[in-house]
Amino acid sequence: MDSIGHSLKTIRYSVISLKYVSTPREDFTAKNTRTAPSDNVLIIVDESIRGDYLSINTPEVNTTPALEKYLNKYQDNILNYGIMTASATASSPARASVLTGFNHIPDTELGSLRNPSVFDIAKANGYRTILINVQGDFPDPLFRKSDMRSVDEVYLNDGDFDSASNMDADFYAADFIHKRLAEEKGLFIFLEKVGAHIPYETRYDGEDRANQIFMPKMNRGERYTLEKRERVINSYKNLLR
């Protein structure tokens, strides 16, 4: 099936699944319950990242020198899985696959609604659970308000990480997480970034010449069209860099 047909089928099943918003999640019981974990767990979900546009996978694009440095310096601690296919073509089902472990689309068995969430599993293992969604779009049809019962702290895009330009919100979240990890143990933190979400020119300071690496690029507020493909890609590469 072509990508458009598959996307339409995915959307159809997603709409059908809305009928089951009251479907309860299965309970999770840890086999060896830990009441006071001595470590921390951090999961970071990035936004709109293509593996072939990262220079750790495609050196000629030259977009991720910082990641290249980390990979070389910490070879025993970092594993790059290379270019992989996203689990879905939209943010909500893609992140739901991380949150609930459902492993096929269309989700005809409603695993995204029935499976225990990572927060359920973390909570059952004694962790204090923290959800940071800098985009602020939780809850959604797949991670519902009822799923928040296993989340001890919720931070959306207002308050601590609010940024009118969306350029600094991820960095505010990083500072918050760094402080908590340095001072506490037994934390499970799930962060979803603003990342490289469109429109690209609102996510980084494209007026700063230091960020004008790939040119020509789009201007802020300019409408995307197929004729501007090269400039759109350059804006995306600047943002990744």
Side-chain angles (χ1 to χ4, degrees):
M1 182 180 292
D2 63 32
S3 59
I4 294 178
H6 186 76
S7 297
L8 290 174
K9 189 173 182 180
T10 299
I11 292 171
R12 174 175 173 269
Y13 277 100
S14 295
V15 171
I16 292 173
S17 72
L18 294 180
K19 297 179 181 179
Y20 300 94
V21 292
S22 60
T23 302
R25 294 207 180 276
E26 298 173 0
D27 291 331
F28 178 85
T29 302
K31 293 181 178 180
N32 299 301
T33 303
R34 292 183 291 170
T35 56
S38 59
D39 59 354
N40 293 313
V41 178
L42 170 63
I43 296 177
I44 300 174
V45 177
D46 215 329
E47 174 67 59
S48 302
I49 301 298
R50 275 184 52 160
D52 57 339
Y53 274 84
L54 304 180
S55 53
I56 55 173
N57 298 321
T58 312
E60 59 267 26
V61 298
N62 194 28
T63 53
T64 52
L67 287 181
E68 293 171 39
K69 180 181 70 175
Y70 297 145
L71 279 171
N72 289 327
K73 188 173 182 179
Y74 305 107
Q75 295 183 24
D76 294 334
N77 296 332
I78 298 179
L79 181 62
N80 175 22
Y81 287 92
I83 299 172
M84 304 178 71
T85 302
S87 57
T89 56
S91 295
S92 178
R95 72 185 176 202
S97 68
V98 179
L99 283 165
T100 66
F102 80 96
N103 57 12
H104 63 276
I105 290 179
D107 184 19
T108 53
E109 298 179 359
L110 301 180
S112 58
L113 301 177
R114 300 183 188 279
N115 294 350
S117 77
V118 290
F119 293 103
D120 296 327
I121 296 170
K123 194 72 176 170
N125 279 284
Y127 288 90
R128 180 169 184 79
T129 55
I130 301 174
L131 167 62
I132 303 174
N133 175 245
V134 185
Q135 296 187 35
D137 57 348
F138 272 127
D140 69 5
L142 296 179
F143 194 77
R144 301 152 294 181
K145 188 175 182 179
S146 60
D147 294 323
M148 295 291 191
R149 70 186 186 280
S150 294
V151 183
D152 295 313
E153 300 178 36
V154 179
Y155 301 92
L156 302 181
N157 65 337
D158 53 353
D160 291 291
F161 315 120
D162 190 25
S163 172
S165 66
N166 282 317
M167 294 181 188
D168 301 317
D170 287 340
F171 296 100
Y172 295 156
D175 290 341
F176 171 87
I177 292 170
H178 184 269
K179 186 174 188 297
R180 294 292 296 268
L181 293 180
E183 298 176 353
E184 301 174 55
K185 297 297 182 184
L187 299 179
F188 173 87
I189 303 177
F190 185 97
L191 166 66
E192 181 175 3
K193 296 170 54 182
V194 170
H197 198 289
I198 58 171
Y200 304 136
E201 291 297 316
T202 67
R203 311 302 184 191
Y204 77 108
D205 186 2
E207 301 304 312
D208 186 342
R209 293 189 63 84
N211 297 327
Q212 296 176 8
I213 302 165
F214 305 99
M215 300 294 285
K217 67 175 185 62
M218 297 289 286
N219 297 312
R220 185 164 183 163
E222 189 176 358
R223 183 172 176 267
Y224 291 10
T225 65
L226 184 60
E227 291 73 25
K228 301 174 185 175
R229 175 180 169 82
E230 179 185 0
R231 293 171 58 204
V232 172
I233 290 175
N234 282 339
S235 284
Y236 179 67
K237 290 167 68 177
N238 283 327
L239 173 54
L240 289 181
R241 176 84 177 219

